[in-house]
Amino acid sequence: MGLDLRLPIGSLLAIIGVILLGQGIFGDAAIYQRSLGININLIWGGVLAVTGAGLVFAARRRT
Amino acid sequence: MLRIQLAAVDYAILGIYLVFVLGIGIALKRFMKTSSDFFLSGRSIPAWITGLAFLSANLGAQEVMGMAASGAKYGIATSHFYWVGAIPAMVFVGVFMMPFYYGSRARSVPEYLKLRFDEKTRGFNAISFAVMTVFSSGISLYAMGSLLSTLLGWDFRASIQLSALIVLCYILLGGLTSAIYNEVLQFFLIVAGFLPLVFLGLKDAGGWGKLTARLGQVATTQGYGPEALSSSWRPLVATSANPMGIEWFGMLMGLGFVLSFGYWCTDFLVVQRAMAANSMAAARRTPLIAAFPKMMFPMLVILPGMIAIALNGTQGANGFNFPLKEDGSLNFDMTIPLMLGHYFPPGMLGLGLTALLASFMSGMAGNVTAFNTVWTYDIYQSYIKRDASDGHYLWMGRMATVFGIGLSVAAAYLAMHFNNIMDFLQLVFAFVNAPLFATFLLGMFWKRATGHGAFLGLLMGTLAAAAHHGLTIPKGAAIGIKGGWLGAVSTYPSEMAQNFWTAIWAWSACFVVTIVISMITAPRAEAELKGLVYSLTERPPEENLAWYKRPGPLGCIILGLTALLNVIFW
């Protein structure tokens, strides 16, 4: 089918990643008591944003 | 009662996911021109996508939450459902069976039975499968509704109707392709949502070494040896040495052979994904590609359960306690929601819940797409309206989607009022499914097997399953839905042991009856069986493929890695 699936998956992961990054940077730090003091939103948001952007890039390059 | 409070950021993540789900459907709409596009994705999907969909179609939320619950209950031995109960069968279906499924151009698993055997064998399989998928999707809908209403305080009916509506929209728009694409999306979400959970849980437990030490203490307080929860094979020496109540032979034969091959090799829900692949080579690679992530999945879905039971009752960041059931026992089914709420801050919490919701919806969509295909091709086209135009069947497929989902919603409401009916139905489906693999094995690899043999074999296998269930009972259970309704002559140490042995008996009965009846009925001409039976079919050419794309070498690598995992966690 003509829709490259990497495009929607990559964009979704990237958008979620950016939202998590935003929450990690600007959000209240007290919420990280639950996650053992680790700002998991910041770390994992970064990972997802990069992965998502990579997928979108790969899909764009081929077409 | 366990409650989770969502913040605005969590709703934002959930909302964006829903927009993408519907967006994929809308983007695919223009490709849905013929019934083949709608039911088989026009056989045009690349192998990596069908592979991940093959994996995710089985990864409904009940599976995810159930595996975590089993991880808490049975420990690492739960991984047998992956390393013994899935991988070998996935390799087998890719290497040996896919040439017949894909090569025969059958559009569904029941249609293969029609080509290989006869109309009545197909009818038996098609009707039982169609009923089963509708109720399975209803049961998962019900599970989702009750989870959302207890956990988040959402309205039960509203959450069921909303998710049914979303699934309805994206299947109507994009057919099987929509379902497959969303399954792949769900795969990424599950990994994205659960990997950090495992990381935080393991860190909290103090690493793998400390975790196994704690599991040792838990196992000893339960009255087992210290390795009962943390090693996969050693506790299987005797039924009394592990909480599953099963020994290695029952595990290998019951789960590893009959149940596993019966599901992965014959269930149209998963096989349909491979049939949508864009070439024979891609179809054969589909289950093999799925096998790689599959063997790592215990880490994502079983490990959280092990962590949860190891840390239960301890002083984590905010303390850690399983919710209790009404009878005061630990409610293992709540393992995943418990862990999500315990470790994830707003943000990640939204992602974790979105992953869970995605697996509910794609599990339902998988059932619905399998149902509409079997209904349209194997029931409607075969018995109701034979020679209509392709456009008519495409229209019928859309109608089937609508009433399939309608019936699922009705089944979910039914489950709300009569929980026992659902237990009873699942039991009947287990009887019907247990012998199936014997039929396919003989059909594909023994050219002498006949239609009468196959049909009577299936019937007798199903009856054997029912009879075995009626004559046995798990230890401590009441006579009735759990067994013993024909008079309990034998007792099993656990329900799981009883299930495994029910399957073994059903398979054996089907195998023997099919052979005996086939010997005394007339075989079909060999020319008619070309492309349907192993000895009469040319091997698909693979000389032009790179070695890492050939099913044989891939299968060997997968089996080697799986054996290695078994040794590491011995």
Side-chain angles (χ1 to χ4, degrees), chain B residues 179-227:
Chain B
I180 286 180
Y181 277 20
N182 278 300
E183 280 155 10
V184 178
L185 195 62
Q186 174 230 347
F187 167 82
F188 281 89
L189 284 172
I190 287 275
V191 175
F194 281 37
L195 212 51
L197 185 67
V198 173
F199 168 75
L200 290 173
L202 261 185
K203 195 167 159 50
D204 198 20
W208 177 252
K210 288 234 175 89
L211 176 69
T212 46
R214 275 177 189 279
L215 285 172
Q217 291 167 11
V218 175
T220 3
T221 53
Q222 290 174 353
Y224 300 104
E227 80 293 347

Side-chain angles (χ1 to χ4, degrees), chain B residues 74 77-78 80-81 224 236 239 242-246 251 493-494 496-497:
Chain B
Y74 308 126
T78 309
H80 290 316
F81 282 93
Y224 300 104
L236 296 189
T239 54
N242 63 80
M244 284 182 174
I246 190 93
M251 178 62 81
S494 69
M496 196 184 290

Side-chain angles (χ1 to χ4, degrees), chain B residues 407-527:
Chain B
L407 285 172
S408 306
V409 173
Y413 286 158
L414 195 69
M416 187 167 72
H417 296 294
F418 308 99
N419 227 317
N420 291 335
I421 291 189
M422 291 299 153
D423 290 344
F424 175 70
L425 281 169
Q426 277 179 314
L427 192 64
V428 174
F429 299 149
F431 296 162
V432 176
N433 271 347
L436 258 182
F437 183 61
T439 307
F440 281 86
L441 197 64
L442 290 169
M444 287 182 174
F445 298 98
W446 189 46
K447 61 185 180 190
R448 185 68 181 72
T450 67
H452 294 308
F455 181 73
L456 287 172
L458 273 181
L459 208 60
M460 287 303 151
T462 304
L463 290 177
H468 179 267
H469 184 265
L471 290 170
T472 61
I473 193 157
K475 201 169 66 189
I479 286 180
I481 192 98
K482 301 282 185 201
W485 37 274
L486 292 174
V489 294
S490 164
T491 309
Y492 284 106
S494 69
E495 206 174 327
M496 196 184 290
Q498 184 197 27
N499 285 343
F500 288 1
W501 283 99
T502 299
I504 294 172
W505 279 100
W507 186 90
S508 312
C510 177
F511 191 75
V512 171
V513 170
T514 306
I515 291 178
V516 171
I517 303 290
S518 292
M519 293 307 283
I520 56 175
T521 44
R524 280 173 67 182
E526 291 196 357

Side-chain angles (χ1 to χ4, degrees), chain B residues 3-5 38 55 62 76 83 111 120 126 179 196 204 218 249 256 305 307 411 450 504 549:
Chain B
R3 275 276 178 161
I4 288 182
Q5 200 72 45
F38 189 77
L55 172 75
Q62 279 161 300
I76 200 168
W83 299 336
E111 192 164 73
K120 59 181 179 298
D204 198 20
V218 175
F249 180 80
I307 295 168
T450 67
I504 294 172
K549 286 187 168 180

Side-chain angles (χ1 to χ4, degrees), chain A residues 1-3 5-6 8-9 11-13 15-16 19-20 23 31-36 38 40-41 44 48 55, chain B residues 9 16 20 31 41 44 49 177 181 184-185 188 192 196 200 203-204 317 341-348 351:
Chain A
M1 298 268 151
L3 174 69
L5 186 52
R6 286 175 298 184
I9 291 180
S11 347
L12 178 63
L13 291 183
I15 294 174
I16 292 178
I19 294 177
L20 291 179
Q23 177 76 16
I31 57 174
Y32 301 112
Q33 212 189 337
R34 283 191 211 169
S35 49
L36 316 172
I38 300 170
I40 194 81
N41 282 339
W44 199 244
L48 291 184
L55 278 170
Chain B
V9 61
I16 284 169
F20 268 79
F31 300 111
S41 302
S44 67
I49 294 179
T177 317
Y181 277 20
V184 178
L185 195 62
F188 281 89
L200 290 173
K203 195 167 159 50
D204 198 20
H342 185 80
Y343 288 116
F344 277 173
M348 277 307 301
L351 178 55

Side-chain angles (χ1 to χ4, degrees), chain B residues 164-458:
Chain B
L165 189 70
I166 291 166
V167 172
L168 177 71
C169 288
Y170 77 71
I171 297 181
L172 278 184
L173 287 164
L176 179 64
T177 317
S178 250
I180 286 180
Y181 277 20
N182 278 300
E183 280 155 10
V184 178
L185 195 62
Q186 174 230 347
F187 167 82
F188 281 89
L189 284 172
I190 287 275
V191 175
F194 281 37
L195 212 51
L197 185 67
V198 173
F199 168 75
L200 290 173
L202 261 185
K203 195 167 159 50
D204 198 20
W208 177 252
K210 288 234 175 89
L211 176 69
T212 46
R214 275 177 189 279
L215 285 172
Q217 291 167 11
V218 175
T220 3
T221 53
Q222 290 174 353
Y224 300 104
E227 80 293 347
L229 293 173
S230 51
S231 68
S232 62
W233 283 103
R234 276 179 289 165
L236 296 189
V237 285
T239 54
S240 58
N242 63 80
M244 284 182 174
I246 190 93
E247 86 307 353
W248 63 272
F249 180 80
M251 178 62 81
L252 280 181
M253 277 304 289
L255 177 65
F257 182 61
V258 178
L259 286 173
S260 148
F261 281 73
Y263 177 75
W264 292 101
C265 303
T266 72
D267 197 299
F268 182 52
L269 178 60
V270 287
V271 174
Q272 188 179 27
R273 272 71 200 147
M275 284 179 169
N278 59 15
S279 67
M280 169 69 92
R284 296 182 72 190
R285 260 202 322 280
T286 294
L288 302 175
I289 289 173
F292 285 101
K294 184 79 182 172
M295 69 174 94
M296 302 311 292
F297 254 74
M299 192 180 81
L300 279 182
V301 296
I302 298 173
L303 199 49
M306 294 165 60
I307 295 168
I309 193 68
L311 294 183
N312 185 39
T314 61
Q315 307 297 318
N318 312 309
F320 202 109
N321 280 304
F322 263 99
L324 300 180
K325 282 190 194 166
E326 280 170 12
D327 62 4
S329 59
L330 301 182
N331 189 352
F332 291 120
D333 295 335
M334 282 290 151
T335 304
I336 288 290
L338 170 77
M339 297 279 283
L340 290 177
H342 185 80
Y343 288 116
F344 277 173
M348 277 307 301
L349 190 57
L351 178 55
L353 274 173
T354 303
L356 217 49
L357 263 181
S359 55
F360 270 118
M361 290 205 289
S362 80
M364 181 183 175
N367 277 306
V368 171
T369 46
F371 167 81
N372 65 22
T373 308
V374 166
W375 163 262
T376 306
Y377 283 152
D378 291 301
I379 297 175
Y380 185 75
Q381 189 176 26
S382 306
Y383 305 119
I384 299 174
K385 192 162 183 175
R386 195 170 285 273
D387 297 308
S389 67
D390 186 70
H392 178 76
Y393 294 123
L394 175 60
W395 172 82
M396 193 56 201
R398 293 211 159 103
M399 288 301 108
T401 308
V402 175
F403 66 70
I405 289 181
L407 285 172
S408 306
V409 173
Y413 286 158
L414 195 69
M416 187 167 72
H417 296 294
F418 308 99
N419 227 317
N420 291 335
I421 291 189
M422 291 299 153
D423 290 344
F424 175 70
L425 281 169
Q426 277 179 314
L427 192 64
V428 174
F429 299 149
F431 296 162
V432 176
N433 271 347
L436 258 182
F437 183 61
T439 307
F440 281 86
L441 197 64
L442 290 169
M444 287 182 174
F445 298 98
W446 189 46
K447 61 185 180 190
R448 185 68 181 72
T450 67
H452 294 308
F455 181 73
L456 287 172
L458 273 181

